[in-house]
Short mmCIF file of all heavy atoms in Angstrom, two decimals:
data_model
loop_
_atom_site.label_atom_id
_atom_site.label_comp_id
_atom_site.label_asym_id
_atom_site.label_seq_id
_atom_site.Cartn_x
_atom_site.Cartn_y
_atom_site.Cartn_z
N LYS A 5 -32.38 -26.72 47.28
CA LYS A 5 -31.47 -26.93 48.41
C LYS A 5 -30.86 -28.32 48.26
O LYS A 5 -31.58 -29.29 47.99
CB LYS A 5 -32.23 -26.79 49.73
CG LYS A 5 -31.37 -27.01 50.96
CD LYS A 5 -31.55 -28.38 51.55
CE LYS A 5 -30.46 -28.72 52.54
NZ LYS A 5 -30.64 -30.07 53.13
N GLY A 8 -26.17 -32.71 52.43
CA GLY A 8 -24.77 -33.09 52.57
C GLY A 8 -24.31 -34.17 51.60
O GLY A 8 -23.23 -34.06 51.01
N SER A 36 -25.66 -27.52 51.81
CA SER A 36 -25.16 -28.03 53.09
C SER A 36 -23.64 -28.16 53.01
O SER A 36 -23.06 -28.05 51.94
CB SER A 36 -25.73 -29.43 53.36
OG SER A 36 -27.03 -29.36 53.85
N ALA A 37 -23.04 -28.47 54.14
CA ALA A 37 -21.62 -28.84 54.16
C ALA A 37 -21.47 -30.21 53.50
O ALA A 37 -22.44 -30.95 53.38
CB ALA A 37 -21.15 -28.89 55.60
N LYS A 47 -18.93 -36.69 58.12
CA LYS A 47 -19.55 -35.45 57.65
C LYS A 47 -18.66 -34.30 58.09
O LYS A 47 -18.18 -34.29 59.23
CB LYS A 47 -20.90 -35.24 58.35
CG LYS A 47 -22.02 -36.11 57.89
CD LYS A 47 -23.21 -35.81 58.81
CE LYS A 47 -24.49 -35.83 58.04
NZ LYS A 47 -25.59 -35.22 58.76
N THR A 49 -19.51 -31.37 58.96
CA THR A 49 -20.05 -30.70 60.15
C THR A 49 -19.64 -31.45 61.43
O THR A 49 -19.28 -30.82 62.43
CB THR A 49 -21.59 -30.61 60.07
OG1 THR A 49 -21.94 -30.03 58.82
CG2 THR A 49 -22.16 -29.76 61.18
N GLU A 115 -20.79 -25.14 55.61
CA GLU A 115 -21.72 -24.63 54.61
C GLU A 115 -21.10 -23.48 53.83
O GLU A 115 -21.27 -23.36 52.63
CB GLU A 115 -23.00 -24.11 55.28
CG GLU A 115 -24.09 -25.03 55.72
CD GLU A 115 -23.76 -26.30 56.45
OE1 GLU A 115 -22.79 -26.32 57.23
OE2 GLU A 115 -24.48 -27.28 56.27
N PHE A 168 -27.87 -23.36 57.07
CA PHE A 168 -27.52 -23.70 58.45
C PHE A 168 -27.25 -22.54 59.40
O PHE A 168 -27.28 -22.72 60.60
CB PHE A 168 -26.30 -24.65 58.42
CG PHE A 168 -26.01 -25.41 59.69
CD1 PHE A 168 -27.03 -25.85 60.53
CD2 PHE A 168 -24.69 -25.72 60.05
CE1 PHE A 168 -26.74 -26.57 61.69
CE2 PHE A 168 -24.40 -26.45 61.20
CZ PHE A 168 -25.42 -26.87 62.01
N SER A 181 -30.43 -25.85 64.56
CA SER A 181 -30.08 -27.17 65.05
C SER A 181 -29.66 -28.04 63.86
O SER A 181 -29.82 -27.63 62.70
CB SER A 181 -31.24 -27.79 65.83
OG SER A 181 -32.39 -27.81 65.04
N ARG A 182 -29.15 -29.22 64.14
CA ARG A 182 -28.61 -30.07 63.08
C ARG A 182 -29.64 -30.31 61.97
O ARG A 182 -30.83 -30.46 62.24
CB ARG A 182 -28.14 -31.42 63.65
CG ARG A 182 -26.99 -31.34 64.63
CD ARG A 182 -25.71 -30.76 64.04
NE ARG A 182 -25.21 -31.40 62.85
CZ ARG A 182 -24.29 -32.37 62.84
NH1 ARG A 182 -23.82 -32.83 63.97
NH2 ARG A 182 -23.85 -32.87 61.69
N GLY A 183 -29.16 -30.34 60.76
CA GLY A 183 -30.07 -30.51 59.62
C GLY A 183 -30.74 -29.21 59.20
O GLY A 183 -31.62 -29.19 58.35
N GLY A 184 -30.28 -28.10 59.78
CA GLY A 184 -30.99 -26.83 59.62
C GLY A 184 -30.86 -26.15 58.26
O GLY A 184 -31.52 -25.13 58.03
N SER A 185 -30.04 -26.69 57.37
CA SER A 185 -29.98 -26.07 56.04
C SER A 185 -31.33 -26.14 55.34
O SER A 185 -31.64 -25.30 54.48
CB SER A 185 -28.92 -26.74 55.17
OG SER A 185 -27.66 -26.60 55.76
N ASP A 186 -32.13 -27.14 55.70
CA ASP A 186 -33.51 -27.22 55.17
C ASP A 186 -34.28 -25.93 55.48
O ASP A 186 -35.09 -25.47 54.68
CB ASP A 186 -34.28 -28.36 55.86
CG ASP A 186 -33.88 -29.73 55.36
OD1 ASP A 186 -33.27 -29.82 54.29
OD2 ASP A 186 -34.18 -30.71 56.07
N1 LIG B 1 -24.45 -29.44 57.95
C1 LIG B 1 -25.44 -29.33 58.98
C2 LIG B 1 -25.66 -30.67 59.66
O1 LIG B 1 -24.97 -31.63 59.34
C3 LIG B 1 -26.71 -28.74 58.48
C4 LIG B 1 -27.35 -29.44 57.32
O2 LIG B 1 -26.71 -30.16 56.58
O3 LIG B 1 -28.54 -29.25 57.13
O4 LIG B 1 -26.45 -30.77 60.52
#
Side-chain angles (χ1 to χ4, degrees):
K5 179 259 165 180
S36 280
K47 286 175 142 195
T49 308
E115 280 45 34
F168 196 34
S181 55
R182 296 299 305 266
S185 298
D186 285 342

